[in-house]
Amino acid sequence: MVKTLAVIGIGLIGGSFARALRAVGSVEHIIGIDTDPVNLAQALALKVIDQSAASLAEGVAQADLVFIAVPVHSISTVVAAIAPFLKPGAVVTDGGSVKDEVVKACEPLMPAGTSFVGGHPIAGTEHSGVAASFAELFTDRRCILTPTSATDSGALKLVSDLWGAAGSRVEYMDTLSHDRVFAAVSHLPHMVAFSLVHAVNRSAEEEENILAFSAGGFRDFTRIASSDPVMWRDIALMNRSALLDMFDRYTLEFTALRERVAAGDAEWLEEFFTTSKRLRDSIATR
Amino acid sequence: MVKTLAVIGIGLIGGSFARALRAVGSVEHIIGIDTDPVNLAQALALKVIDQSAASLAEGVAQADLVFIAVPVHSISTVVAAIAPFLKPGAVVTDGGSVKDEVVKACEPLMPAGTSFVGGHPIAGTEHSGVAASFAELFTDRRCILTPTSATDSGALKLVSDLWGAAGSRVEYMDTLSHDRVFAAVSHLPHMVAFSLVHAVNRSAEEEENILAFSAGGFRDFTRIASSDPVMWRDIALMNRSALLDMFDRYTLEFTALRERVAAGDAEWLEEFFTTSKRLRDSIATR
């Protein structure tokens, strides 16, 4: 399906994409590019890639498809750096978890005759690096593509077909809709968990028993507060607008709840908690 | 260790306490009392209890120890109802997850020559009723006892020894300290999760894709929002003071985070998330 694939950032996501396409025979030759020489050498040793490239320019020169799997903050910088070296007809796609700012920044950087397609595979593990990658990471997981009016239909079909070949269920969403969805179901919950850990730690400074009792349900509930700080810094900054909107929606609910607890409003509280349970249980069965 | 035990509310907690003490031979005779006749008949059929009592008065008349395992809001009502019928020297203890208001309400109700000991076994499953009870529920789980200056030392030793016999690690805490600890590590996280479900549901009214994508990490994170609404109504009301304090501590952190996201303060955000991760990971290894 693709003769030469270049993967920039050959870690968990980039490495798994390469492995998945290789496994189904959708690619002939894979070139890897990575800022970490140890990781890059490992990708070669593991035969995840056929060839490593010393520079972005060299890496993308022969590529029919370029997959950018670097931190979301660096995607447009990478696109700016590779743009002059892309061959005519080349398609560039990414795996960033914020889409509007990324796609808006990347599209104007693309030379005539090349195409950019925004993407976000909904998959991951708590591990990172090429050694953690595996061909089945995307199996039955969703991959969202975010075409715009500027997106070439042939390029979109190619990227869609490749994610399908990698095992994903491909869905299309506009960039702003994507960012609102993930602000709600992922980015806000992370902000809540990060804040909760800080608040409980502050109270533990006055009440030493708190830390001793935080090893139970609290530890499970705040598992996502253990996520990579730099990744979440970048997501918070790059999906700022949709995230601030969710901050405010959440604050409305939380403030209302605080007021009703303070007022001792038993009826309101039972109704609020009952609705929470019903909504959450309906999510669980979808 | 105890001749006759009366368990009021013979569900998951009450039933498991009875089974655990029976299994280690710490009790001779167990009387069960429950507002649900079907559950009570089942307790008898399962031999969790030796005898069912038709009334609180009849149930406690011969008891050396009374264990009250009813919803936290009803504990003092039960104590008021049984007080006139307790035999001299009887010890009454409870399993409620809020302690200051419960203990303050119950202690003055106890007749001279009887004793009340506040308790909170840190154990449970998502099931309820006597059919879900099992003797190992408390094995290696903590049980907090909250003695006051009014607590009889012999009564405290008896209750402590019985929880130890049931497999628990017994710890002592004053009632206010207990309530502050659980406001932080349990009650606040539940309030946060309940609010989060409401906020995401509101945003889903405008962005239909949100529900379709809430089946992943969001579902796991909000699992505790599926807890019993009536139980949480009562906890919110009965631990109001400590809970409101935690609401305010959390709001300080969350508001500061919102401001730094709005300001695009990358350095502050990275520091905040890094601290969250460090704090949460240090909890995990305790």
Side-chain angles (χ1 to χ4, degrees), chain A residues 41-64:
Chain A
Q42 201 166 13
L44 205 55
L46 292 167
K47 295 190 168 43
V48 174
I49 57 175
D50 301 301
Q51 177 191 342
S52 66
S55 71
L56 288 170
E58 180 195 321
V60 303
Q62 301 305 319
D64 302 294

Side-chain angles (χ1 to χ4, degrees), chain A residues 6 8 31-33 51-63 66 78-87:
Chain A
I8 303 175
I31 302 168
I33 305 145
Q51 177 191 342
S52 66
S55 71
L56 288 170
E58 180 195 321
V60 303
Q62 301 305 319
V66 178
V78 167
V79 171
I82 63 175
F85 307 102
L86 292 170
K87 76 177 193 183

Side-chain angles (χ1 to χ4, degrees), chain A residues 184-214:
Chain A
V185 304
S186 170
H187 307 171
L188 174 66
H190 277 81
M191 299 301 124
V192 162
F194 287 132
S195 301
L196 194 58
V197 169
H198 276 268
V200 168
N201 183 62
R202 282 290 168 86
S203 66
E205 289 167 7
E206 293 167 27
E207 178 57 64
E208 57 178 343
N209 284 310
I210 285 175
L211 283 186
F213 282 88
S214 59

Side-chain angles (χ1 to χ4, degrees), chain A:
Chain A
M1 211 185 289
V2 159
K3 196 162 181 298
T4 301
L5 165 70
V7 178
I8 303 175
I10 188 86
L12 173 68
I13 301 294
S16 295
F17 188 66
R19 286 182 193 262
L21 293 185
R22 170 100 72 198
V24 294
S26 293
V27 62
E28 271 181 37
H29 189 71
I30 304 177
I31 302 168
I33 305 145
D34 203 290
T35 51
D36 176 352
V38 175
N39 188 62
L40 189 59
Q42 201 166 13
L44 205 55
L46 292 167
K47 295 190 168 43
V48 174
I49 57 175
D50 301 301
Q51 177 191 342
S52 66
S55 71
L56 288 170
E58 180 195 321
V60 303
Q62 301 305 319
D64 302 294
L65 182 81
V66 178
F67 179 49
I68 305 176
V70 303
V72 68
H73 191 63
S74 307
I75 294 170
S76 64
T77 310
V78 167
V79 171
I82 63 175
F85 307 102
L86 292 170
K87 76 177 193 183
V91 174
V92 176
T93 188
D94 77 311
S97 52
V98 175
K99 292 268 67 82
D100 193 60
E101 192 168 321
V102 168
V103 172
K104 272 194 186 132
C106 293
E107 278 184 342
L109 299 170
M110 299 294 291
T114 66
S115 305
F116 184 83
V117 177
H120 179 198
I122 316 300
T125 73
E126 68 272 40
H127 305 293
S128 59
V130 72
S133 68
F134 57 102
E136 300 77 21
L137 178 62
F138 306 111
T139 305
D140 289 331
R141 305 304 298 267
R142 284 192 270 217
C143 179
I144 303 170
L145 300 182
T146 58
T148 69
S149 57
T151 306
D152 178 77
S153 61
L156 180 61
K157 183 171 188 315
L158 175 70
V159 174
S160 178
D161 288 348
L162 288 172
W163 279 111
S168 287
R169 292 179 283 129
V170 175
E171 301 192 17
Y172 303 98
M173 223 179 266
D174 69 73
T175 57
L176 285 170
S177 181
H178 169 279
D179 287 356
R180 282 194 297 266
V181 166
F182 287 88
V185 304
S186 170
H187 307 171
L188 174 66
H190 277 81
M191 299 301 124
V192 162
F194 287 132
S195 301
L196 194 58
V197 169
H198 276 268
V200 168
N201 183 62
R202 282 290 168 86
S203 66
E205 289 167 7
E206 293 167 27
E207 178 57 64
E208 57 178 343
N209 284 310
I210 285 175
L211 283 186
F213 282 88
S214 59
F218 183 75
R219 183 184 54 191
D220 298 336
F221 185 65
T222 55
R223 186 177 52 81
I224 60 176
S226 186
S227 305
D228 180 47
V230 171
M231 184 177 99
W232 282 99
R233 178 199 67 191
D234 291 347
I235 288 174
L237 294 173
M238 297 195 68
N239 198 19
R240 179 155 43 159
S241 167
L243 182 56
L244 288 175
D245 181 59
M246 287 307 306
F247 263 96
D248 294 342
R249 285 170 190 272
Y250 172 81
T251 300
L252 275 180
E253 302 292 339
F254 192 70
T255 305
L257 175 57
R258 190 210 179 280
E259 279 172 14
R260 294 297 98 200
V261 171
D265 190 339
E267 198 180 334
W268 191 96
L269 293 173
E270 184 176 341
E271 169 66 24
F272 189 81
F273 299 156
T274 300
T275 307
S276 299
K277 178 173 170 54
R278 182 174 52 75
L279 293 171
R280 194 272 167 191
D281 290 349
S282 74
I283 289 170
T285 58
R286 286 176 73 90

